[in-house]
Amino acid sequence: LDTYYALQKQFQEHHVDTTWDGLEADSCNAKPTDVAPMTRTHKKSRCPSRDQWQHLQEQHRVDKVADWDTLPPTPEAPLWAVEGQAECPNYLVEGDILAEQCCHMSC
């Protein structure tokens, strides 16, 4: 309850202006197009230069400095190389379980 009254006190001490860039925000007729145009522009992102990414990798002491200008080759990752998994599941469903499942779906 103490935090409620503290929050209420702070709320009453500060005045929140309902005008936002010349728009009466509490008006039912307010539309986003009525707002003044933005004054700050957003700069388009660009890739870091070779000097920047080399410095970054050296700064963090990576074992092998990678070339960010080229994509790495596609890794070869067959499933058998990952914990000996089979490419396709090679287990058999027991006959009584299969018969039960076939009652609920087409086999």
Side-chain angles (χ1 to χ4, degrees):
L1 203 56
D2 293 336
T3 55
Y4 170 77
Y5 289 113
L7 182 62
Q8 186 180 34
K9 179 181 175 188
Q10 288 294 320
F11 185 77
Q12 290 173 351
E13 285 179 8
H14 300 286
H15 172 71
V16 178
D17 192 6
T18 59
T19 60
W20 176 58
D21 277 349
L23 174 69
E24 289 288 337
D26 60 346
S27 167
C28 292
N29 297 327
K31 294 183 288 191
T33 54
D34 297 336
V35 178
M38 292 178 60
T39 55
R40 186 178 64 100
T41 58
H42 176 73
K43 292 182 182 178
K44 186 177 179 181
S45 299
R46 56 186 175 86
C47 295
S49 68
R50 177 180 287 275
D51 292 336
Q52 288 174 321
W53 56 256
Q54 277 183 334
H55 173 72
L56 180 70
Q57 292 181 68
E58 289 167 1
Q59 178 184 359
H60 289 279
R61 298 181 180 144
V62 296
D63 293 335
K64 181 180 175 187
V65 176
D67 184 0
W68 289 6
D69 291 333
T70 59
L71 291 174
T74 303
E76 292 182 26
L79 288 177
W80 59 264
V82 182
E83 299 178 6
Q85 298 179 44
E87 289 292 330
C88 295
N90 57 356
Y91 56 86
L92 296 174
V93 179
E94 294 183 23
D96 57 339
I97 296 174
L98 182 61
E100 170 63 27
Q101 291 175 349
C102 288
C103 289
H104 305 286
M105 61 184 180
S106 60
C107 293

